[in-house]
Amino acid sequence: FRTKTQNFCRNEYNLTGLCNRSSCPLANSQYATVREEKGRCYLYMKTIERAAFPRRLWERVLLSKNYEKALEEIDENLIYWPRFIRHKCKQRFTKITQYLIRIRKLTLKRQRKLVPLRRKIERREKRREEKALIAAQLDNAIEKELLERLKQDTYGDIYNFPIHAFDKALQQQDAESESESDAEKEEDDDEDMDKREFVEADDSDLSDFEDMDKLETSSEEEPEEEEEVEKKASHSKSKGKTPLKGPARRKRPYIEIEYEKETEPTTKTKAA
Amino acid sequence: AGGGSGPVGSAAEDGGPSAPERVLFPPTFSVSEIKNKQRRHFMFLRWKQQQRKEKLAAKKKRRKEREALGDRAPPKAIPKTIENQRVYDETTVDPNDEEVAFDEATDEFAPYFNRQTVPKILITTSDRPRGRTVRFCEQLSTVIPNSHVYYRRGLALKRIIPQCIARDFTDLIVINEDRKIPNGLVLSHLPDGPTAHFRMSSVRLRKEIKRKGKEPTEHVPEVILNNFTTRLGHSIGRMFASLFPHDPQFIGRQVATFHNQRDYIFFRFHRYIFKSEKKVGIQELGPRFTLKLRSLQKGTFDSKFGEYEWIHKRREMDTSRRKFHL
């Protein structure tokens, strides 16, 4: 077939691949080629004596695997043949061995498997991804999750939001004052020893509270340093009340009582 | 020609185009039976208009009824979404499921979740990575703490893996590239862990994201995993979680999100700040990409002899629009 600059020959026995008078296997009655099959190279020869027998026309000779020996074999077989055919046969043989070597090397390495993209499926996937992105509403979801985590106190005491904490404290304190008053009423019915113990505990706690007060007022005067000393968090925006949660927690089981320090003693005195 | 069909029209077009309400079609008449294309089209448009009017009228009526009833009106109907209509997946994980909890306590990620191992991650690419992929790898390595990027020239994955195990890496990420853009991700948990193969799409590098933030700092980010409901989703979620060290540094205020929606996993990296206790602001920094799971393998990366736990089979799994697997 023709291209812009050259004619190519489609005959499979062609030696050079070009369509010329000198390299056409049909035009020449004495011709030879080298072809390879399954990695082995063969020398094919055609002579004029067998021109009447198409089945026996091409004679096949297996060439040795050794490069030099094979070249000698070609020479041997084509001994009185024209120079052109001999030369081209050897050239072709060389090229074939080179590409066979390359094939063997490549199969040892990892081959890149080309998987064809299916256009319809690609389009479908892209569309679905867009819709999923819109449905996901990522920003909202992330914000919600972060607020959830803040509520569940996973951040500990880094963030101090007084309103939130204060409300929580109030609620908890209310619940506990109710339960406390119940407890006190029950304990009034008990023996004196218990009452005394209870009262003494109250006194000590009252004294604790006085200390607390002092601590708290002092801390309110000097918010920064005390809290930094007390707390480990480096970023805390310190407002007066919440840092005392820590030490208060350690001293008494009831956490938020210091917020209601005015009313607390009154309830105690009523009970006593 | 369009104007000519009006007066020339046949008896079936009685009443003209002006009054669709008064059109009465004989009961066995169907618009598709008219052979003439122009007339058929015209009749179809008229029919459509009529349908729209009826729908509008019905809506108005419903709204009036609702207002008339006031408080006793029935509650508004919830619109159907794909998430609502999702085909129930029998492998959905119940939060209190003991079997799942037991499984998770004994699977390959247990040492991570028991805080025995610290993740160390190797990021690499396929052969000859081009510009975008290289930059993406770098950005990914800044997002994930304790990760290293190594390029390989022609080294087989199977030979890399024993070396990685010897050097104490816990995870391996391979980013596959096609025509200069990354399009695939292989995430492999190293000491003989599961390997997940994803298709990656819509990768945005940091400079392409519209934001004014700075780069991610070295602090360990928090991790958010959203919507991983089924067993498969759970295991993938744990895989992602095991990439990041267990103790996030809240000082850094960074969060990495893996959000699963309709089998697409969206990855985002943000910096957050709490403006008050009810409002939080987030600012996106860091690359973003979406993943779609293609296959999950039991052992480490082995495409021929590996034991696959889950493969996406297009013919079987993509048949229904409301069925998702993650």
Side-chain angles (χ1 to χ4, degrees):
Chain A
F1 59 94
R2 260 191 170 259
T3 40
K4 259 199 210 151
T5 45
Q6 277 179 344
N7 273 344
F8 287 109
C9 180
R10 279 186 225 228
N11 193 311
E12 53 193 17
Y13 286 101
N14 188 306
L15 187 55
T16 54
L18 307 172
C19 190
N20 302 325
R21 168 69 181 74
S22 56
S23 49
C24 184
L26 304 172
N28 295 318
S29 42
Q30 196 189 39
Y31 201 75
T33 324
V34 177
R35 277 172 70 189
E36 66 97 20
E37 207 170 313
K38 293 189 190 163
R40 299 306 310 273
C41 297
Y42 298 93
L43 174 64
Y44 286 80
M45 290 180 290
K46 159 175 147 172
T47 43
I48 194 166
E49 290 100 12
R50 297 195 302 269
F53 311 108
R55 213 156 62 99
R56 291 180 249 159
L57 186 57
W58 287 97
E59 178 190 341
R60 187 161 95 157
V61 173
L62 177 66
L63 298 173
S64 106
K65 275 200 181 174
N66 188 338
Y67 183 67
E68 284 105 24
K69 264 211 195 134
L71 284 180
E72 285 171 11
E73 280 175 18
I74 293 180
D75 260 334
E76 226 176 270
N77 276 313
L78 302 179
I79 188 164
Y80 293 118
W81 285 51
R83 255 175 313 180
F84 174 75
I85 294 184
R86 251 185 295 154
H87 189 229
K88 289 296 180 185
C89 272
K90 285 190 239 169
Q91 274 189 341
R92 196 181 165 93
F93 173 71
T94 312
K95 194 124 247 160
I96 288 178
T97 48
Q98 283 174 350
Y99 82 63
L100 284 176
I101 290 173
R102 216 157 40 135
I103 290 178
R104 273 181 243 134
K105 224 195 285 185
L106 279 182
T107 53
L108 283 181
K109 281 193 178 181
R110 296 157 303 128
Q111 300 270 33
R112 216 174 264 235
K113 186 169 167 208
L114 295 173
V115 176
L117 289 179
R118 298 226 159 80
R119 208 179 310 172
K120 188 173 177 186
I121 295 178
E122 290 295 306
R123 266 192 285 152
R124 184 157 44 132
E125 300 273 315
K126 218 163 78 148
R127 193 111 204 271
R128 285 203 186 156
E129 190 188 317
E130 285 167 11
K131 302 246 161 177
L133 182 62
I134 296 173
Q137 292 176 357
L138 281 170
D139 291 341
N140 290 350
I142 298 178
E143 287 175 8
K144 238 197 317 189
E145 177 71 27
L146 288 171
L147 287 171
E148 275 289 319
R149 288 193 183 178
L150 182 68
K151 274 208 189 110
Q152 287 171 6
D153 228 9
T154 43
Y155 299 129
D157 276 331
I158 303 179
Y159 300 104
N160 296 326
F161 291 116
I163 308 172
H164 180 65
F166 193 61
D167 282 346
K168 204 164 75 164
L170 266 180
Q171 285 172 20
Q172 281 203 8
Q173 210 285 320
D174 287 340
E176 273 159 15
S177 65
E178 289 171 16
S179 62
E180 257 191 19
S181 50
D182 291 343
E184 285 161 357
K185 280 174 198 154
E186 287 169 11
E187 299 227 27
D188 283 342
D189 300 334
D190 286 342
E191 300 164 355
D192 290 341
M193 288 301 297
D194 292 347
K195 221 202 262 180
R196 218 176 284 158
E197 282 175 20
F198 193 83
V199 168
E200 283 175 14
D202 279 349
D203 286 341
S204 66
D205 286 337
L206 275 180
S207 62
D208 277 350
F209 280 134
E210 288 161 15
D211 293 341
M212 285 287 160
D213 292 351
K214 285 181 200 159
L215 257 181
E216 196 168 341
T217 48
S218 62
S219 70
E220 272 172 354
E221 285 159 8
E222 308 160 353
E224 311 293 323
E225 302 145 33
E226 290 242 25
E227 282 142 13
E228 274 180 341
V229 164
E230 286 170 0
K231 287 282 149 190
K232 310 150 210 155
S234 46
H235 270 253
S236 48
K237 308 169 214 161
S238 33
K239 318 252 168 174
K241 316 233 171 177
T242 40
L244 284 180
K245 263 190 196 171
R249 258 191 214 127
R250 279 179 240 131
K251 285 179 186 168
R252 270 188 64 117
Y254 303 109
I255 317 172
E256 279 79 14
I257 293 190
E258 69 265 18
Y259 295 103
E260 298 285 308
K261 55 191 189 302
E262 282 118 8
T263 60
E264 180 54 34
T266 57
T267 56
K268 294 275 177 200
T269 49
K270 273 182 206 160
Chain B
S5 77
V8 176
S10 65
E13 284 177 45
D14 247 324
S18 54
E21 294 98 59
R22 281 175 256 152
V23 165
L24 282 176
F25 293 109
T28 52
F29 179 79
S30 139
V31 177
S32 56
E33 275 172 18
I34 307 179
K35 297 292 184 186
N36 184 333
K37 182 169 181 175
Q38 222 170 14
R39 276 188 228 146
R40 189 171 65 232
H41 183 61
F42 178 72
M43 296 304 274
F44 175 71
L45 288 179
R46 259 220 307 212
W47 178 78
K48 264 294 200 190
Q49 278 179 8
Q50 205 171 359
Q51 295 290 95
R52 253 182 262 145
K53 277 203 180 227
E54 284 172 13
K55 200 170 169 196
L56 213 66
K59 245 193 191 171
K60 268 196 179 161
K61 204 171 94 168
R62 240 184 294 141
R63 188 143 40 103
K64 277 215 178 106
E65 279 176 13
R66 158 167 266 118
E67 280 171 17
L69 284 182
D71 280 331
R72 295 169 290 143
K76 267 194 176 167
I78 309 173
K80 295 186 199 168
T81 64
I82 293 188
E83 280 79 24
N84 287 345
Q85 308 292 99
R86 175 176 174 171
V87 168
Y88 176 69
D89 199 336
E90 62 211 3
T91 61
T92 308
V93 172
D94 192 22
N96 308 324
D97 204 344
E98 285 174 356
E99 195 186 306
V100 172
F102 176 69
D103 265 345
E104 292 185 352
T106 53
D107 77 351
E108 289 110 351
F109 298 107
Y112 165 75
F113 281 103
N114 295 337
R115 310 210 179 189
Q116 286 165 10
T117 54
V118 176
K120 190 174 169 193
I121 299 171
L122 178 69
I123 303 183
T124 181
T125 68
S126 54
D127 277 351
R128 298 183 160 267
R130 311 301 286 177
R132 260 187 89 99
T133 316
V134 166
R135 273 179 274 150
F136 177 66
C137 282
E138 287 168 22
Q139 292 184 3
L140 202 60
S141 71
T142 57
V143 163
I144 306 178
N146 205 4
S147 63
H148 307 268
V149 184
Y150 284 112
Y151 300 110
R152 58 190 178 117
R153 276 214 58 191
L155 295 173
L157 267 181
K158 289 183 201 161
R159 272 185 233 133
I160 290 189
I161 288 175
Q163 284 187 17
C164 286
I165 300 179
R167 294 195 200 180
D168 244 2
F169 279 99
T170 58
D171 288 276
L172 174 68
I173 298 183
V174 183
I175 298 184
N176 191 41
E177 180 196 353
D178 172 56
R179 276 193 228 160
K180 305 180 193 173
I181 47 168
N183 75 341
L185 184 97
V186 176
L187 169 58
S188 176
H189 191 66
L190 269 183
D192 204 39
T195 307
H197 180 33
F198 298 93
R199 186 214 306 254
M200 181 152 54
S201 47
S202 65
V203 174
R204 302 275 174 268
L205 298 178
R206 209 178 283 144
K207 64 178 182 180
E208 293 161 9
I209 303 177
K210 297 174 194 164
R211 49 130 194 105
K212 293 160 214 153
K214 297 190 187 154
E215 310 177 350
T217 57
E218 288 291 326
H219 295 119
V220 173
E222 290 178 54
V223 179
I224 292 183
L225 298 164
N226 265 345
N227 262 345
F228 287 95
T229 48
T230 63
R231 281 300 290 272
L232 180 64
H234 241 251
S235 43
I236 300 280
R238 282 162 68 79
M239 261 189 113
F240 285 132
S242 70
L243 289 178
F244 294 90
H246 222 279
D247 303 307
Q249 291 168 325
F250 298 121
I251 305 176
R253 285 187 287 131
Q254 293 174 141
V255 57
T257 309
F258 291 89
H259 181 103
N260 171 40
Q261 186 85 12
R262 301 184 196 173
D263 276 358
Y264 287 96
I265 303 173
F266 298 101
F267 170 81
R268 301 284 186 270
F269 194 74
H270 291 279
R271 177 166 281 144
Y272 62 88
I273 176 165
F274 285 106
K275 295 180 193 160
S276 69
E277 80 272 3
K278 293 278 190 305
K279 263 177 65 176
V280 58
I282 54 176
Q283 188 190 48
E284 180 159 9
L285 33 114
R288 66 157 85 155
F289 51 90
T290 61
L291 301 172
K292 185 160 200 277
L293 180 67
R294 262 209 272 204
S295 68
L296 179 65
Q297 233 178 14
K298 262 264 169 242
T300 55
F301 180 76
D302 199 337
S303 46
K304 282 188 224 159
F305 307 112
E307 176 197 334
Y308 279 96
E309 206 176 300
W310 188 85
I311 310 183
H312 177 78
K313 296 189 191 122
R314 188 172 46 91
R315 296 266 163 96
E316 298 170 15
M317 296 181 179
D318 265 356
T319 46
S320 158
R321 272 187 226 188
R322 304 192 189 359
K323 186 168 183 358
F324 305 113
H325 311 283
L326 268 189

Coordinates of all heavy atoms in Angstrom, one line a residue, chain B residues 229-258:
Chain B
T229 N -21.9 3.6 57.6 CA -22.9 2.8 58.4 C -22.8 1.3 58.3 O -22.9 0.6 59.3 CB -24.3 3.2 57.9 OG1 -24.3 3.1 56.5 CG2 -24.7 4.6 58.4
T230 N -22.5 0.8 57.1 CA -22.5 -0.7 57.0 C -21.2 -1.3 57.5 O -20.2 -0.6 57.9 CB -22.6 -1.1 55.5 OG1 -21.5 -0.6 54.8 CG2 -23.8 -0.5 55.0
R231 N -21.1 -2.6 57.6 CA -19.9 -3.3 58.0 C -18.7 -2.8 57.2 O -17.6 -2.5 57.7 CB -20.1 -4.8 57.9 CG -20.8 -5.4 59.0 CD -20.3 -5.2 60.3 NE -19.0 -5.9 60.5 CZ -18.9 -7.1 61.0 NH1 -20.0 -7.8 61.3 NH2 -17.8 -7.7 61.1
L232 N -18.9 -2.9 55.9 CA -17.9 -2.5 55.0 C -17.4 -1.0 55.2 O -16.2 -0.7 55.3 CB -18.4 -2.6 53.5 CG -17.4 -2.2 52.4 CD1 -16.3 -3.2 52.5 CD2 -18.1 -2.3 51.1
G233 N -18.4 -0.2 55.4 CA -18.1 1.2 55.7 C -17.3 1.4 57.0 O -16.4 2.2 57.1
H234 N -17.7 0.6 57.9 CA -17.0 0.6 59.2 C -15.6 0.2 59.1 O -14.7 0.9 59.7 CB -17.7 -0.4 60.2 CG -18.2 0.3 61.4 ND1 -17.7 0.1 62.6 CD2 -19.3 1.1 61.5 CE1 -18.4 0.9 63.5 NE2 -19.4 1.4 62.8
S235 N -15.3 -0.8 58.3 CA -13.9 -1.2 58.2 C -13.1 -0.2 57.5 O -12.0 0.1 57.8 CB -13.8 -2.6 57.6 OG -14.6 -2.7 56.5
I236 N -13.7 0.4 56.5 CA -13.0 1.5 55.7 C -12.8 2.7 56.6 O -11.7 3.3 56.6 CB -13.8 1.9 54.5 CG1 -14.0 0.7 53.6 CG2 -13.1 3.0 53.7 CD1 -12.9 0.4 52.7
G237 N -13.8 3.0 57.4 CA -13.6 4.1 58.3 C -12.5 3.9 59.3 O -11.7 4.8 59.6
R238 N -12.4 2.7 59.8 CA -11.3 2.4 60.7 C -9.9 2.5 60.0 O -8.9 2.9 60.6 CB -11.5 1.0 61.3 CG -12.5 1.0 62.4 CD -12.9 -0.4 62.7 NE -11.9 -1.2 63.3 CZ -11.6 -1.2 64.6 NH1 -12.2 -0.3 65.4 NH2 -10.6 -1.9 65.0
M239 N -9.9 2.1 58.8 CA -8.7 2.2 58.0 C -8.3 3.7 57.9 O -7.1 4.0 58.1 CB -8.9 1.7 56.6 CG -8.4 0.4 56.3 SD -8.5 0.0 54.6 CE -6.8 -0.1 54.3
F240 N -9.2 4.5 57.6 CA -8.9 5.9 57.6 C -8.4 6.5 58.9 O -7.5 7.3 59.0 CB -10.1 6.8 57.1 CG -10.3 6.6 55.6 CD1 -11.6 6.4 55.1 CD2 -9.3 6.7 54.7 CE1 -11.8 6.2 53.8 CE2 -9.5 6.6 53.4 CZ -10.8 6.4 52.9
A241 N -9.2 6.0 59.9 CA -8.8 6.6 61.2 C -7.4 6.1 61.7 O -6.7 6.9 62.4 CB -9.8 6.1 62.3
S242 N -7.0 5.0 61.2 CA -5.7 4.5 61.6 C -4.6 5.2 60.9 O -3.4 5.0 61.2 CB -5.6 3.0 61.4 OG -5.5 2.8 60.0
L243 N -4.9 6.1 60.0 CA -3.8 6.8 59.4 C -3.3 7.9 60.3 O -2.2 8.4 60.2 CB -4.3 7.5 58.1 CG -4.6 6.6 56.9 CD1 -5.1 7.5 55.8 CD2 -3.3 5.9 56.5
F244 N -4.2 8.4 61.1 CA -3.8 9.6 62.0 C -3.5 9.2 63.4 O -4.1 8.2 63.9 CB -5.0 10.6 62.0 CG -5.3 11.2 60.7 CD1 -6.2 10.6 59.8 CD2 -4.7 12.3 60.3 CE1 -6.5 11.1 58.6 CE2 -5.0 12.9 59.1 CZ -5.9 12.3 58.2
P245 N -2.5 9.8 64.0 CA -2.2 9.5 65.4 C -3.4 9.7 66.3 O -4.3 10.5 66.0 CB -1.1 10.5 65.7 CG -0.5 10.9 64.4 CD -1.6 10.9 63.5
H246 N -3.4 8.9 67.3 CA -4.6 8.8 68.1 C -4.9 10.1 68.9 O -6.1 10.3 69.2 CB -4.5 7.6 69.1 CG -5.7 6.8 69.1 ND1 -6.8 7.2 69.9 CD2 -6.1 5.7 68.5 CE1 -7.7 6.3 69.8 NE2 -7.4 5.4 68.9
D247 N -4.0 10.8 69.3 CA -4.3 11.9 70.2 C -4.2 13.2 69.4 O -3.1 13.7 69.2 CB -3.2 12.0 71.3 CG -3.2 10.7 72.1 OD1 -4.3 10.3 72.5 OD2 -2.2 10.1 72.2
P248 N -5.3 13.8 69.1 CA -5.3 15.0 68.3 C -4.9 16.2 69.2 O -5.2 16.2 70.4 CB -6.7 15.2 67.8 CG -7.5 14.4 68.7 CD -6.7 13.3 69.2
Q249 N -4.1 17.1 68.6 CA -3.7 18.2 69.4 C -4.7 19.3 69.1 O -4.7 19.9 68.1 CB -2.3 18.7 69.0 CG -1.3 17.7 69.4 CD 0.0 18.0 68.7 OE1 0.0 18.5 67.6 NE2 1.1 17.8 69.4
F250 N -5.5 19.6 70.1 CA -6.6 20.6 69.9 C -6.1 22.0 69.7 O -6.8 22.9 69.3 CB -7.6 20.5 71.1 CG -8.3 19.2 71.2 CD1 -8.1 18.5 72.4 CD2 -9.0 18.7 70.2 CE1 -8.7 17.3 72.5 CE2 -9.6 17.4 70.3 CZ -9.5 16.7 71.5
I251 N -4.8 22.2 70.1 CA -4.3 23.5 69.9 C -4.2 23.9 68.5 O -4.4 25.0 68.1 CB -2.9 23.6 70.5 CG1 -2.9 23.1 72.0 CG2 -2.3 24.9 70.4 CD1 -1.6 23.0 72.6
G252 N -4.0 22.8 67.7 CA -3.9 23.1 66.3 C -5.2 23.5 65.6 O -5.1 24.1 64.5
R253 N -6.3 23.0 66.1 CA -7.6 23.4 65.6 C -7.7 23.0 64.2 O -8.3 23.6 63.4 CB -7.9 24.9 65.7 CG -8.2 25.3 67.1 CD -8.6 26.8 67.2 NE -7.6 27.7 66.9 CZ -7.6 28.7 66.1 NH1 -8.7 28.9 65.3 NH2 -6.6 29.5 66.0
Q254 N -7.2 21.8 63.8 CA -7.3 21.3 62.5 C -8.2 20.1 62.5 O -8.1 19.3 63.4 CB -6.0 21.0 61.9 CG -5.1 22.2 61.7 CD -3.7 21.9 61.3 OE1 -3.2 22.7 60.5 NE2 -3.2 20.9 61.8
V255 N -8.9 19.9 61.4 CA -9.8 18.7 61.4 C -9.7 18.1 60.0 O -9.9 18.9 59.0 CB -11.2 19.0 61.9 CG1 -11.8 20.1 61.0 CG2 -12.1 17.8 61.8
A256 N -9.6 16.8 59.9 CA -9.6 16.1 58.6 C -10.9 15.4 58.6 O -11.3 14.6 59.5 CB -8.5 15.2 58.5
T257 N -11.7 15.6 57.5 CA -13.0 14.9 57.4 C -13.1 14.0 56.3 O -12.7 14.2 55.2 CB -14.1 16.0 57.2 OG1 -13.9 17.1 58.1 CG2 -15.4 15.5 57.3
F258 N -13.6 12.8 56.6 CA -14.0 11.8 55.6 C -15.5 11.6 55.7 O -16.0 11.1 56.6 CB -13.3 10.5 55.9 CG -11.8 10.5 55.8 CD1 -11.0 10.8 56.8 CD2 -11.2 10.2 54.6 CE1 -9.6 10.8 56.7 CE2 -9.9 10.2 54.4 CZ -9.1 10.5 55.5

